Amino acid sequence: MSSSVRPVNRRLRVFAFDPSLALDIETAPIQEIELKIPWEIDPQTGGSSVLPGPCGEYLEVIDHDPASKVVYAPINLNDGLILAQSGLSPSEGNPQFHQQMVFAVAMNTIANFEEALGRVALWAPRVIRAEDGRFIRQEFVRKLRIYPHALRDANAYYSPAKKSLLFGYFPAKATQEGPVAGSMVFTCLSQDIIAHETTHALLDGLHPRFGERTNRDVLALHEAFADIVGMLQRFSHPEVLRHQIGKTKGDLGQQNLLGQLAQQFGRAIGRGSALRDALGRTDAQGHWHPRVPDPDELARTTKPHDRGAILVAAVFDAFLLVYKSRIADLLRIATQGTGVLPPGEVHPDLVNRMAEEAASCAKHVLHMCIRALDYCPPVDITFGDYLRAIVTADADLYPDDEPRFRVAMIQAFRKRGIYPRGVRTLSEESLLWPTGAETLAEADATLTTPEQSRHSDKMHSDVRALVQQGTNISLDWTLEEDRQQSYEKMQANAKKFHTWLTVGPGRDWIPALGLTLNPEAPASVARSGTSGIPAIEVHSVRTALRRGARNSIVPELVVEIAQRRFGWFDRNEQLRQDQAQTPGSITTSDFRFRRGCTLLINPRSFDVRRVIRTPGTVESDDLLEQLRRFLTGEDPNPEHAFAGIPLDENDDETFARLHRLA
């Protein structure tokens, strides 16, 4: 097949929201939409590489229903009749449509991540361990498995161990009023839930340590970020946008479907409305109340979903601020300067223009939120860190913030009481993560060669040695490259960077990066083999090709580095292990304490654009004690859902239990 006639996208029909909205006369017209997902090409034949299941490059749908002891026949998306109709018609009762639905929404989510990050999406590798639990190796995971009917339960979750998404189904409460009363609810038919769980898997592939509960924000951010992606993806559907803008007369700050998550699920379990709503809350009597910003709310909120809802609201507030500023001129023109629309329906042309602005704003905010993942510390993330990541990533790509997206983000986070640690003011300049030169200047007194650190040419020569000399870093990733080759290059790059950092020119950077090679460090700090030197882990060296201002292509290396220390709840045992005579012999402990940093490197100019450190180092007894108090519940504001539960790196039920607590 000639490349000139290859399809670019595959169109598949899905439910726009949840099936129950198709039974409402007001929302029925917008309930079915088409998603355009990338057409996966077989390099041998030039045709589609998607097999029945569907089973493609990224995803494998396996429709086994253990509760009913049934394996449903897989859908073949390449069947001529299915292709001609843009997929099967949405149906609650057709398992093949369920398969189509999860595949289409998950692929749409993957495409958004790849566009924002500028590289192919990778799932978290599978960890192979010995019987005694010792780490052996990591294996590349090509396909994430999706089980549309995995469990008969009011739950859906991502399983890190199985590298799978598991969706449940359950009967709605018999006493519940409305179209869902007494009927079966399938979580695999909710766009929100599918996008949410796919985002968990994508985030785990980028930041595996974000599943470790080291402070109240970590799991809350995992949940909030998954909600943010699902919510903002809705704005790519023009039919839905126009309908909701027409209904609210352009004021998307009112109650509307765009700010709600999983409406059918929420009503089916007795919530009375959606499972979550970024704009407001529904009380026990079914009355909706707008979520008024309260800067003190975050300090008194501890449960992951409740805390995450504050972050979601802040991001949506920022979107609304920019959207309102960009339609202000349209409203002035349409109202002869008053800005107040008269009674009655809004003119369709005005609705279309407002929808265009809403879609443009939402896409930029979505990409801001996804790109920020490369600007986060590798461990112990907080909401404040995430704000700094959003602002810095956007500033590096778009220096001129003419639409005021960054100003809106800062304002919205401030009103919700979200402040970064270690920052005196919330000005944009203060929130930007420091550059490599700034970091070296700050650490000048502790560097082994302080007189050289003042000169940027040394920094450039060190990075040039990493990128160009000897066994240089591979930079030839593309969105068309085989994903396993990308993974293997990432692993090889990490080994080269580790050598550069521990025995090469990068060794002089160790203190500035918040790392340590001190052989006198506490014995509980993990060691490198039998050397007695603290181990440094280079988790990944990822490449990115981002499209910036004036459509320029901005290349970047994203390097994540971490160190770990073994921790015990018993302080006497901690002291005994810290003073052990044979560092590096520890194999088990109650929890892990980690510190680290992320580096953003321009491989063309050899600039270290950003250095993103966690506070302190693994030698800090105070920070270790702070984590211990949090995990044991001694913290005065513990995370209620998990306080006192020992940290288990291999806990496969974290997301399953977290969602049951929603």
Side-chain angles (χ1 to χ4, degrees):
M1 180 182 293
S2 171
S3 60
S4 62
V5 297
R6 288 174 179 170
V8 176
N9 297 307
R10 181 191 296 272
R11 293 177 179 270
L12 292 173
R13 289 186 284 176
V14 298
F15 283 119
F17 294 97
D18 295 333
S20 62
L21 273 68
L23 302 178
D24 188 318
I25 194 169
E26 182 181 350
T27 54
I30 60 166
Q31 182 54 334
E32 178 183 317
I33 60 170
E34 286 185 6
L35 293 181
K36 291 195 300 183
I37 64 174
W39 183 276
E40 299 182 44
I41 298 174
D42 185 331
Q44 302 298 322
T45 66
S48 171
S49 62
V50 177
L51 301 174
C55 178
E57 167 64 22
Y58 297 83
L59 305 170
E60 180 180 14
V61 179
I62 301 174
D63 207 353
H64 176 216
D65 184 347
S68 301
K69 299 181 180 179
V70 173
V71 177
Y72 296 108
I75 185 175
N76 180 8
L77 293 180
N78 296 320
D79 180 275
L81 291 176
I82 291 177
L83 279 172
Q85 301 177 76
S86 298
L88 297 175
S89 177
S91 168
E92 288 189 80
N94 185 348
Q96 282 71 47
F97 172 74
H98 296 193
Q99 300 159 14
Q100 173 181 302
M101 176 92 182
V102 293
F103 182 79
V105 177
M107 284 301 301
N108 184 51
T109 306
I110 292 168
N112 278 323
F113 269 73
E114 291 190 337
E115 183 180 358
L117 294 174
R119 59 174 175 273
V120 294
L122 298 175
W123 309 118
R126 182 171 288 106
V127 177
I128 307 300
R129 297 183 181 275
E131 291 185 0
D132 61 0
R134 287 183 299 105
F135 172 85
I136 298 178
R137 67 181 185 278
Q138 291 183 338
E139 288 185 350
F140 170 71
V141 174
R142 184 173 293 278
K143 303 177 196 296
L144 179 75
R145 291 185 169 182
I146 303 181
Y147 296 87
H149 308 102
L151 55 152
R152 191 170 291 180
D153 188 16
N155 201 359
Y157 64 95
Y158 161 62
S159 167
K162 298 182 178 71
K163 310 302 176 189
S164 302
L165 306 184
L166 297 96
F167 293 93
Y169 64 95
F170 62 98
K173 290 186 177 182
T175 59
Q176 178 66 30
E177 296 180 0
V180 298
S183 62
M184 197 65 71
V185 176
F186 295 93
T187 61
C188 68
L189 294 181
S190 168
Q191 264 215 69
D192 304 324
I193 294 175
I194 300 168
H196 181 102
E197 303 309 332
T198 306
T199 299
H200 276 314
L202 289 163
L203 183 51
D204 189 42
L206 282 168
H207 290 291
R209 301 304 180 193
F210 281 15
E212 294 183 359
R213 48 190 181 275
T214 55
N215 65 65
R216 287 182 292 166
D217 285 350
V218 175
L219 293 183
L221 187 138
H222 229 295
E223 287 299 304
F225 180 73
D227 282 354
I228 288 167
V229 171
M231 179 179 64
L232 292 177
Q233 281 187 168
R234 292 196 183 127
F235 290 82
S236 63
H237 310 321
E239 311 94 313
V240 175
L241 261 179
R242 288 193 290 265
H243 180 276
Q244 292 297 291
I245 285 175
K247 179 183 177 182
T248 62
K249 303 189 74 169
D251 184 2
L252 294 177
Q254 297 179 22
Q255 183 181 17
N256 67 81
L257 296 176
L258 296 169
Q260 297 178 1
L261 171 72
Q263 295 88 351
Q264 184 182 27
F265 188 97
R267 290 197 296 270
I269 62 174
R271 291 286 179 94
S273 182
L275 181 62
R276 288 189 285 280
D277 190 335
L279 295 173
R281 299 182 179 89
T282 301
D283 60 25
Q285 289 72 41
H287 300 129
W288 185 83
H289 304 278
R291 184 189 288 272
V292 179
D294 178 359
D296 298 323
E297 183 181 10
L298 188 67
R300 60 177 184 266
T301 304
T302 56
K303 293 183 178 180
H305 284 100
D306 294 341
R307 195 171 178 85
I310 299 173
L311 178 60
V312 176
V315 171
F316 203 75
D317 286 350
F319 157 74
L320 287 175
L321 285 169
V322 179
Y323 163 70
K324 288 178 179 178
S325 71
R326 290 177 65 165
I327 66 167
D329 59 338
L330 297 175
L331 291 176
R332 285 194 297 270
I333 294 170
T335 61
Q336 297 182 341
T338 68
V340 180
L341 291 169
E345 294 188 3
V346 181
H347 193 283
D349 289 344
L350 180 58
V351 169
N352 289 336
R353 284 289 291 112
M354 289 192 289
E356 289 175 9
E357 293 294 346
S360 174
C361 290
K363 183 175 182 179
H364 190 90
V365 172
L366 175 61
H367 283 192
M368 287 177 74
C369 292
I370 296 175
R371 274 196 304 267
L373 297 177
D374 279 348
Y375 282 69
C376 292
V379 296
D380 199 32
I381 182 75
T382 67
F383 287 178
D385 294 337
Y386 187 58
L387 171 60
R388 297 189 71 178
I390 291 173
V391 171
T392 309
D394 194 68
D396 282 354
L397 212 55
Y398 304 100
D400 294 328
D401 186 26
E402 185 177 346
R404 301 291 185 266
F405 280 102
R406 298 194 289 275
V407 172
M409 279 286 181
I410 296 169
Q411 178 179 334
F413 274 60
R414 175 178 56 80
K415 287 187 174 181
R416 299 285 177 180
I418 301 174
Y419 300 98
R421 51 192 175 187
V423 174
R424 293 184 178 181
T425 68
L426 283 184
S427 66
E428 181 178 323
E429 294 75 17
S430 297
L431 292 175
L432 296 177
W433 292 116
T435 64
E438 291 169 343
T439 302
L440 285 174
E442 291 174 2
D444 185 73
T446 62
L447 289 176
T448 56
T449 54
E451 70 283 355
Q452 293 177 323
S453 72
R454 299 187 182 95
H455 305 286
S456 60
D457 58 347
K458 170 174 169 50
M459 178 179 66
H460 285 193
S461 65
D462 286 349
V463 177
R464 186 181 292 110
L466 166 69
V467 176
Q468 289 186 333
Q469 298 173 6
T471 54
N472 60 311
I473 294 289
S474 174
L475 301 173
D476 57 347
W477 288 18
T478 68
L479 284 172
E480 287 73 37
E481 184 178 45
D482 179 79
R483 292 168 57 245
Q484 184 164 0
Q485 292 180 7
S486 294
Y487 171 79
E488 291 169 352
K489 286 180 181 178
M490 184 179 74
Q491 298 296 99
N493 284 345
K495 291 180 181 178
K496 295 171 186 176
F497 192 92
H498 185 273
T499 300
W500 176 85
L501 187 62
T502 55
V503 298
R507 189 180 177 94
D508 285 345
W509 288 55
I510 291 294
L513 301 183
L515 306 172
T516 180
L517 293 176
N518 177 18
E520 302 301 320
S524 60
V525 174
R527 263 32 185 209
S528 178
T530 58
S531 67
I533 303 298
I536 290 179
E537 304 166 5
V538 180
H539 287 172
S540 66
V541 179
R542 305 188 293 266
T543 60
L545 291 172
R546 314 188 202 277
R547 191 172 297 279
R550 298 189 299 276
N551 284 327
S552 60
I553 301 298
V554 181
E556 211 154 46
L557 285 173
V558 185
V559 184
E560 291 188 347
I561 314 164
Q563 292 186 295
R564 72 184 189 277
R565 181 177 177 182
F566 297 94
W568 286 265
F569 295 137
D570 187 317
R571 293 173 177 81
N572 292 327
E573 178 63 15
Q574 182 75 56
L575 182 62
R576 189 181 73 81
Q577 295 287 350
D578 286 344
Q579 298 174 348
Q581 299 300 311
T582 54
S585 61
I586 300 169
T587 58
T588 61
S589 65
D590 294 327
F591 61 95
R592 305 287 191 273
F593 169 60
R594 304 182 197 273
R595 299 286 92 181
C597 72
T598 299
L599 302 180
L600 280 297
I601 300 173
N602 186 318
R604 291 177 182 169
S605 65
F606 311 114
D607 285 330
V608 176
R609 287 155 57 95
R610 301 294 173 187
V611 178
I612 304 156
R613 292 178 40 174
T614 53
T617 71
V618 287
E619 296 181 89
S620 171
D621 293 329
D622 290 341
L623 291 173
L624 175 68
E625 173 64 16
Q626 181 178 314
L627 175 58
R628 178 187 293 112
R629 289 174 60 82
F630 170 73
L631 293 172
T632 58
E634 296 177 47
D635 187 292
N637 294 302
E639 178 185 2
H640 295 168
F642 289 106
I645 299 177
L647 180 66
D648 182 358
E649 292 181 301
N650 307 310
D651 181 8
D652 184 40
E653 293 298 316
T654 295
F655 294 108
R657 291 188 290 120
L658 187 62
H659 287 184
R660 289 194 191 99
L661 293 165

